[in-house]
Amino acid sequence: MLLAQVDTQLANLSNYLIYSAMTVYTLAMFAQIFEWTFGAKGGVAVRSAQQSTLAETVADAADAAKGVRKVTVTVAAQGGGTTTLTRTALADAGATTVTSGRGDDAPADGTGPAGTSEKADLAGRIAVSLTVLGLLLHAGSVITRGLSVMRWPWGNMYEFSCAFALMMVGAYVILLVAGKNVRWLGLPVTVVALLILGIAVSVLYTDSEQLVPALHSYWLGIHVSTATICGGAFFAAFVATATYLLKDRYEHRVAAGLTVRAASLMERLPASGTLDKLSYRINAVIFPLWTFTIIAGAIWAEAAWGKYWEWDPKETWSFITWVAYAAYLHARATAGWRGRKAAYLALLAFACWLFNFYGVNIFITGKHSYAGV
């Protein structure tokens, strides 16, 4: 009786912690919105004004030189002060791109969501702190959920969703700790994490209970945990890919002299080349772990059902997802398929993973139908 009471208290604590994490994530989201909004009033606006003046100054000379001329400008630096950049001024477009040390015209990374506004930067730092606090509360919820029934806490769709959202936020924090310039990633991560957790607690919630016999195996901790880790990393790569497509389109429109909406926001994002590399590197690093996830699932299937592979819907879509990511990595390594074409493949691959995670569990009946919904 006492043990049952302790289990109930742990399950209730898990629920309190997940709602607390959602509250903190919401505060972090608003802080990030503040950062993006007030960052537009900082150094980006100053730089844009300087670029406009530069374009007017070189307009006549650029016409005589077929519209192209090398110039040097001094702009506001992200940490305060100024920095000197060599740029290619396009007289017909009024646009500029930073030249790289290799001699090719490669746009520079943006100043980040805060621009050079100190108030916006403070909001961004607060947002990061709140995100880390929310991550700790979130992790506490997942752990206490498992302790309430003394098993791995991913036996149904509610628990899968909580673990998936945890890995999403965790991947973002790990990239920050690793020194990557990914603070811009915080807003989409917290928004989507809140969406997933909102669906989990309102639609997918089930009381903590014991698993069906087939799931009583140490392979549950290995197979499902690696799958959720892959999901968090794949999501980070997905956001980087989608942002790359937006930034690449923006850079092409600026180079063509076309009007661009949300220019201040786009200017503060990393360059398209940086986003493309970030997406590729995350997918390339995590792909071997996804391969291991499928192999571990096959070994577990043999122990539970007597066969390594039976083309169950979950197995089939896991393989389809593997093929999609393999095709992306191969295409990305092929010169003719770099850039936007490879990015579309990356989006398709993540769509396959997402359908395998939600669609198969909810809408398709098979041996892996443990959704609890």
Side-chain angles (χ1 to χ4, degrees):
M1 180 64 70
L2 179 60
L3 183 60
Q5 291 178 347
V6 171
D7 292 343
T8 301
Q9 291 175 350
L10 286 172
N12 291 334
L13 177 60
S14 175
N15 294 338
Y16 293 143
L17 287 173
I18 202 66
Y19 281 110
S20 299
M22 292 174 66
T23 300
V24 175
Y25 285 151
T26 301
L27 295 175
M29 179 186 69
F30 282 119
Q32 287 154 355
I33 292 174
F34 184 96
E35 180 185 20
W36 279 103
T37 301
F38 286 86
K41 304 179 185 301
V44 172
V46 174
R47 188 175 71 176
S48 298
Q50 291 174 337
Q51 291 176 355
S52 298
T53 302
L54 173 65
E56 294 175 1
T57 303
V58 303
D60 294 337
D63 286 338
K66 304 293 184 180
V68 179
R69 180 181 176 183
K70 296 289 184 180
V71 295
T72 301
V73 295
T74 300
V75 300
Q78 183 174 359
T82 60
T83 185
T84 301
L85 301 175
T86 301
R87 295 177 174 268
T88 301
L90 304 179
D92 59 337
T96 58
T97 55
V98 180
T99 58
S100 70
R102 299 186 305 273
D104 56 332
D105 292 338
D109 289 341
T111 53
T116 56
S117 168
E118 293 183 2
K119 291 183 178 180
D121 182 67
L122 176 61
R125 294 178 184 276
I126 292 173
V128 171
S129 300
L130 288 171
T131 302
V132 173
L133 176 59
L135 178 67
L136 295 175
L137 292 170
H138 193 165
S141 173
V142 172
I143 292 171
T144 51
R145 174 81 176 194
L147 291 175
S148 68
V149 283
M150 297 304 295
R151 61 168 174 79
W152 292 98
W154 30 73
N156 50 61
M157 275 302 296
Y158 169 76
E159 296 173 355
F160 295 158
S161 297
C162 289
F164 175 38
L166 177 67
M167 295 304 172
M168 283 170 43
V169 181
Y172 165 62
V173 172
I174 288 172
L175 288 172
L176 283 176
V177 172
K180 302 298 182 181
N181 182 24
V182 294
R183 207 158 83 182
W184 58 271
L185 192 61
L187 183 57
V189 165
T190 51
V191 169
V192 175
L194 280 170
L195 178 63
I196 291 174
L197 292 177
I199 295 174
V201 300
S202 61
V203 178
L204 302 176
Y205 181 80
T206 56
D207 292 329
S208 57
E209 56 188 15
Q210 293 299 327
L211 302 174
V212 296
L215 294 181
H216 285 286
S217 171
Y218 61 88
W219 283 106
L220 175 67
I222 299 173
H223 172 65
V224 183
S225 61
T226 55
T228 52
I229 291 171
C230 289
F234 283 151
F235 173 78
F238 159 75
V239 176
T241 301
T243 308
Y244 156 74
L245 291 172
L246 292 174
K247 188 63 183 279
D248 183 65
R249 183 174 181 271
Y250 165 79
E251 291 172 354
H252 279 83
R253 289 181 66 86
V254 168
L258 301 175
T259 302
V260 181
R261 296 180 179 178
S264 173
L265 185 150
M266 288 295 176
E267 278 287 334
R268 285 177 283 157
L269 289 171
S272 60
T274 301
L275 293 166
D276 187 34
K277 290 178 182 178
L278 177 64
S279 173
Y280 171 69
R281 288 171 179 174
I282 294 175
N283 284 324
V285 167
I286 212 67
F287 180 73
L289 186 61
W290 180 246
T291 303
F292 170 79
T293 300
I294 296 176
I295 294 173
I299 296 173
W300 186 13
E302 195 279 333
W305 302 319
K307 291 184 179 180
Y308 289 100
W309 199 272
E310 293 187 274
W311 294 105
D312 179 76
K314 177 68 77 172
E315 296 171 347
T316 301
W317 275 96
S318 295
F319 178 70
I320 291 173
T321 302
W322 185 91
V323 171
Y325 274 107
Y328 160 74
L329 293 174
H330 176 73
R332 181 61 178 73
T334 304
W337 273 81
R338 290 184 180 180
R340 298 184 70 87
K341 292 181 179 179
Y344 292 137
L345 276 178
L347 296 183
L348 175 63
F350 183 73
C352 291
W353 188 93
L354 204 60
F355 180 78
N356 185 39
F357 186 81
Y358 280 108
V360 173
N361 285 344
I362 296 175
F363 302 111
I364 301 178
T365 301
K367 287 188 173 183
H368 288 78
S369 298
Y370 307 126
V373 295

